[in-house]
């Protein structure tokens, strides 16, 4: 005959524990990496990329004009001559032609760039902060994704940067390119851009992480909080080295994005090899290094600005998350 179990045989650890009427369990959402959520990496990256490119835009304009071949660009490879020609023909405003396209493209592209990098770094590093290979591979993944976003606006930007550009502005350029050349013109340089940015990013991220670690070791007092000086110095070194190594591919990219306008050469095919051969034929091998100096002058401070801004934004979000967790805890 079934009877109710005696209280002394009941397992107390299986009995329901009564809760107060105002009890509401909190389900914690774990941050993705470094104490941050995925969207916070995107916002931090977007801010960093926009600040970086806007601050260094005049130098980028000089580099673009020096790298383009044809009748429209300045033939001399001198920075002073290029700068003087722009100021004489268009004034200071000429240094900022195309900045609207940069503003539209840099934010979204860098949001993708840094969020993909951080996600891949978490996956590939295996918890080892000194894994240079993981940093390099993560950087390559990040650039393939971000270049798909940025290349169309970069094409518009460079066409507007040319002296005597036939376009009135960003919208006019987009409309005319679509009408006269089709949508594929916006991605004419995508393969070259990826081939350039993949090694650029691999060198950049590996150098940045190594330099940051080395600088933190030299100054142990700042190692815990990784001061802004460490980020800026490591970023500058990484940007300068990566820019120098990849200048030939950047020249090819500029050629492809500016082809057929303002007297610049038009190529029968989008083959990187064909463009290389034409550049060497017209200017010799030195032509592949045109604009290397303004490119380095752009990327060294740009990377310093970008990394220090990015890390500052991350620090803000980390503090914000800590405060929120404490309040809900």
């Amino acid at each position: 005959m079934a009877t109710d179990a005696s209280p002394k045989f009941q397992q107390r650890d299986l009995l329901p524990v009564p809760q107060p009427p105002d009890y509401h369990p909190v389900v914690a959402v774990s941050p993705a990496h470094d104490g941050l959520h995925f969207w916070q990496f995107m916002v931090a990256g977007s801010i960093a990329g926009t600040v970086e490119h806007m601050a260094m835009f005049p130098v980028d304009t000089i580099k673009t004009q020096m790298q383009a071949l044809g009748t429209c660009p300045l033939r001399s490879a001198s920075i002073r001559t290029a700068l003087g020609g722009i100021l004489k023909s268009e004034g200071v405003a000429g240094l900022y032609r195309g900045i609207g396209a940069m503003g539209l493209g840099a934010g979204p592209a860098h949001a993708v760039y840094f969020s993909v990098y951080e996600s891949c770094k978490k996956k590939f590093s295996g918890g080892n902060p000194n894994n240079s290979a993981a940093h390099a591979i993560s950087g390559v993944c990040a650039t393939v994704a971000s270049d798909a976003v940025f290349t169309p606006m970069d094409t518009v930007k460079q066409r507007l940067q040319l002296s005597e550009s036939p376009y009135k502005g960003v919208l006019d350029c987009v409309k005319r390119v679509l009408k006269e050349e089709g949508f594929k013109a916006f991605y004419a340089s995508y393969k070259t851009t990826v081939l350039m940015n993949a090694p650029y990013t691999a060198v950049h991220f590996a150098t940045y992480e190594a330099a940051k670690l080395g600088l933190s070791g030299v100054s142990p007092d700042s190692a815990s909080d990784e001061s802004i000086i460490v980020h800026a110095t490591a970023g500058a070194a990484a940007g300068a080295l990566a820019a120098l190594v990849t200048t030939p591919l950047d020249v090819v990219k500029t050629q492809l994005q500016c082809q057929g306008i303002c007297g610049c050469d038009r190529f029968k095919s989008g083959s990187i090899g064909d463009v290389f051969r034409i550049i060497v034929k017209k200017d010799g091998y030195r032509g592949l290094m045109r604009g290397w100096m303004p490119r380095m002058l752009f990327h060294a401070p740009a990377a310093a600005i970008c990394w220090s801004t990015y890390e500052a934004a991350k620090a803000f979000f980390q503090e914000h998350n800590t405060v929120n967790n404490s309040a809900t805890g």
Side-chain angles (χ1 to χ4, degrees):
M1 184 175 64
T3 59
D4 292 335
S6 172
K8 68 178 181 179
F9 292 109
Q10 291 180 351
Q11 294 182 339
R12 294 186 178 276
D13 57 336
L14 298 180
L15 293 176
V17 179
Q19 302 292 347
D22 60 344
Y23 174 73
H24 300 288
V26 177
V27 178
V29 179
S30 300
H33 175 57
D34 276 356
L36 299 184
H37 299 285
F38 188 80
W39 70 266
Q40 291 172 326
F41 284 122
M42 295 190 73
V43 173
S46 179
I47 294 170
T50 302
V51 171
E52 166 201 355
H53 285 286
M54 294 298 188
M56 300 304 301
F57 193 83
V59 181
D60 185 59
T61 298
I62 294 171
K63 183 217 70 166
T64 296
Q65 292 210 12
M66 289 174 67
Q67 288 181 338
L69 288 173
T71 58
C72 68
L74 300 158
R75 297 301 302 170
S76 172
S78 164
I79 295 177
R80 180 181 295 181
T81 303
L83 176 59
I86 295 170
L87 293 176
K88 184 178 179 179
S89 62
E90 302 179 74
V92 176
L95 294 170
Y96 290 91
R97 279 181 59 89
I99 196 169
M102 176 62 77
L104 291 172
H110 279 73
V112 173
Y113 189 88
F114 280 104
S115 56
V116 171
Y117 172 71
E118 294 286 358
S119 298
C120 291
K121 185 172 76 169
K122 179 185 178 184
K123 181 178 180 179
F124 296 137
S125 65
N128 178 12
N130 304 326
N131 192 336
S132 296
H135 299 151
I137 293 170
S138 300
V140 172
C141 293
T143 197
V144 171
S146 66
D147 283 343
V149 176
F150 188 59
T151 296
M153 280 296 105
D154 191 44
T155 299
V156 173
K157 171 193 74 81
Q158 289 205 309
R159 291 189 176 213
L160 289 169
Q161 283 177 319
L162 293 177
S163 61
E164 301 179 12
S165 173
Y167 306 109
K168 298 177 182 178
V170 175
L171 187 59
D172 179 55
C173 182
V174 172
K175 287 181 177 179
R176 288 179 59 180
V177 171
L178 283 173
K179 182 179 179 180
E180 298 168 10
E181 303 174 56
F183 182 77
K184 66 179 183 179
F186 290 113
Y187 282 93
S189 69
Y190 180 65
K191 289 189 294 184
T192 308
T193 302
V194 171
L195 285 175
M196 174 189 72
N197 283 339
Y200 173 89
T201 309
V203 173
H204 185 112
F205 277 104
T207 303
Y208 172 74
E209 297 287 357
K212 186 173 70 171
L213 187 65
L215 289 168
S216 296
V218 171
S219 179
D221 293 337
S222 63
S224 59
D225 59 353
E226 293 184 351
S227 69
I228 191 171
I229 296 176
V230 170
H231 293 301
T233 306
L241 178 60
L244 179 63
V245 170
T246 57
T247 293
L249 285 166
D250 188 51
V251 174
V252 174
K253 184 204 76 168
T254 299
Q255 294 287 303
L256 288 170
Q257 290 188 165
C258 297
Q259 61 179 313
I261 63 163
C262 196
C264 295
D265 297 325
R266 178 172 289 282
F267 304 98
K268 293 181 180 179
S269 72
S271 167
I272 297 172
D274 287 345
V275 179
F276 262 110
R277 282 190 289 272
I278 291 172
I279 293 172
V280 172
K281 183 178 179 179
K282 293 187 69 170
D283 271 10
Y285 286 101
R286 68 175 184 173
L288 295 172
M289 293 302 294
R290 291 186 67 163
W292 70 269
M293 190 175 292
R295 180 166 162 78
M296 287 185 68
L297 289 175
F298 173 90
H299 282 283
I305 293 169
C306 184
W307 278 111
S308 53
T309 303
Y310 177 64
E311 296 292 350
K314 280 175 60 178
F316 170 80
F317 283 126
Q318 285 168 342
E319 183 177 353
H320 172 76
N321 291 348
T322 301
V323 171
N324 279 357
N325 290 339
S326 299
T328 58

